[in-house]
Amino acid sequence: MHHELAPLLKQYFGYDSFRPLQLEIMSATMAGKDVVAILPTGAGKSLTFQLPALAEDGLTLVISPLIALMKDQVDSLTASGISATFLNSSLDPAEARDRTEALSRGEYKLLYAAPERVMTPGFIADLKRWNVKRIAVDEAHCISEWGHDFRPEYRQLAELRKHLPNIPFLALTATATPKVRQDIARQLQMEQPENFLASFNRPNLSYSILPKSKPARQVFEFVHTRREESGIIYLQSRKATEAMAATLKAEGISAIAYHAGLDPATRAQNQEAFLRDEARIVCATVAFGMGINKPDVRYVIHADLPKNIEGYYQETGRAGRDGLPSECLLLYSRGDLIRNLRFLEDTSDPEAAKITEMQMRQMADFAETTGCRRSALLAYFGEKWPDENCGGCDACLNPREEYDATLPVQKLLSCIIRAKQACGFSTGANHIAQVLAGANTTKVREYGHDKITTYGIGSDTPREEWAALARQLITLGFIDVSPDNYQTLNVSHKGSEALKSREKILLARLPFTHSTNAAAKLSRAGSIPCDEPLFQALRNLRKAIADEKSLPPYVIFGDTPLRHMARRYPQSKADFLNIPGVGSQKLEDYGQAFMAEIKSHLSSHEKQTFDPISSPPAPRMKTENGLSGTQLESLAQYQSGKTIEQIAKARDMVTGTIAGHLAAAITLGKIRPNPRDFFSADDEKRIDAALASAENDLSRLGPIHAALNGEIPYETLKIYAAFKTLETVAGSS
Ligand code: ADP
Ligand code: MG
Ligand code: ZN
């Protein structure tokens, strides 16, 4: 099919193989179809319009919502030797004119522009002359009011259809909700678009949720052991972002604040500092986000409860775009939910408030589940995680044992009741914990709580544990919290029933500390073990080069290529070119400098050897029996005797997609066809040899395809790989 794509992938981007769905999306758009592609952040959506732009004549117009986003992408493309440019309001007229003229001369493969720019009459006339081949609408959820970043200007894009008929649209987003999805196709007036929907699992992200007690302390504990890494801390209020940044700065950590209340210059400056690795941490409100394509954000902390799960998913999604292990930590207190709900009280729109309240409660329910976080998160998007340990969340990694908590629960609940009877008002969790522990404080004496029967009956247990138990019982609904700042406790109806019935109460044992050191640091999925001191040295070099060129460091090289360099110690051009993420332009521009750094490191250090890389393939969305609806449809047609070509024609899909469907069916043992229906014995021998030369790695068809000089199409290789996978499995059992 598109034999030219794999060599271009290698030459410009330095990658050997495609990520899931990339090839399918490109085949569909290159066949002239309208496409809606919904893939999670970091899945590699940009490539699906960048590579076709290189493979074909003409200009690819990329609609992008933010100026910062455009500049970033254009810088990255330029660094890879791809001619791209952008037009937006940040350019002075002379510069804009230069670029327009160069566009008229056909000097660019990609043009990034904001929708409001695109819709001006002069611009549309220009577009007609510029041989536009494809229109990519990035962050396409901006077109929908149901999305989180609605931009009215996106609505006008359908107008482009009139002026540029027969030009395919490729809409891309990471927003999963069905409403947004449908809205995109409808608003862009797509007729029968081909839809691609990937699993929303982010295998390289780990999720932890800890009870929030002293957030500033907890955050500090977490970040100070990760000083070399970039992270985002989300907080509810502008004031809180500034306070947190100040606290961290006082501890010698380079943190900055970001929120919509800062003047534009400061905001831009702070964002720049973060992108350039000058500030390691951004303490931000949700205003900070979409423009941030920084691929090496290693953690996202929510120090306050997000307002809905969609937001939580999008915000945590900003971690680990580059596929390296990254952590998501949520500090949860039920008080946050109560505070969020209180904001809703003086609303003018009770209908909207009802929906918002439901979303807030869903978020709190998510935070309160004791089961697998990943499975709960994916369930929200309608995906079912197989019933197994995800290996990357606190619940799966430290499963909590259950214990008989009847006695401590009775002690705690009766203490709340007795204390209130004694002084006439309710008190907070920490005070109750002190009474149980028998603490001799002024407050305890003043309130007469040293005289009640429950005083000191819990002195065998540390106070912190009593406070933690109180929080757990709040979560479980045994205790109500007052909706004011005092957050005083009252035994709920459920709680008093439990006291009366004397039924056995089983609770999950809590982590004893609220220490964030116990959190996260979990998932190794996607990790690339390497020579850490060398990796640091290469990072420093990257930073120096980036500063000189006034670019963000990740535009030079991401952490992934640097880690591969610090694993393989390349010392020749050929070896350097084999590093994933090194294309020919980057070899030429930076190869020498980085190889010199590696050489100098080796003059005083031994080469090390490393564990293999663990990168599980991102699972696709699947139905119960392992195949998706669309896969089953292709399978049914195949079983009725049609060839791949015939199915493709009948289903109006490209052959690569159908081959993928059949390959999945073969791998899962749903069909056992004769290999000769797909490739000759001679071809099989040739592919075997190519496979051997590609390190016998079946998961990456790119190198195999290349070793065959592109003479055997990807469709065939997919089917071949499915047969081989079966053989390997059968052979090893
Ligand atoms: P998205 O827009 O889906 O969030 P991006 O297009 O920004 O993701 O890509 C995320 C990262 O993945 C980038 O660093 C990109 O270079 C990398 N990437 C994309 N395609 C591949 C591939 N086939 N192999 C390896 N890395 C890839
Ligand atoms: Mg993107
Ligand atoms: Zn889990």
Side-chain angles (χ1 to χ4, degrees), residues 439-462:
N440 184 13
T441 70
T442 341
K443 225 164 123 189
V444 168
R445 287 192 307 271
E446 239 172 57
Y447 294 171
H449 288 169
D450 52 346
K451 305 272 168 3
I452 62 180
T453 50
T454 51
Y455 179 70
I457 56 168
S459 57
D460 51 345
T461 306

Side-chain angles (χ1 to χ4, degrees), residues 102-115:
L103 280 160
S104 297
R105 291 192 299 271
E107 285 177 15
Y108 294 112
K109 301 292 331 178
L110 294 120
L111 166 64
Y112 287 73

Side-chain angles (χ1 to χ4, degrees), residues 122 547 601:
D547 284 350
H601 181 88

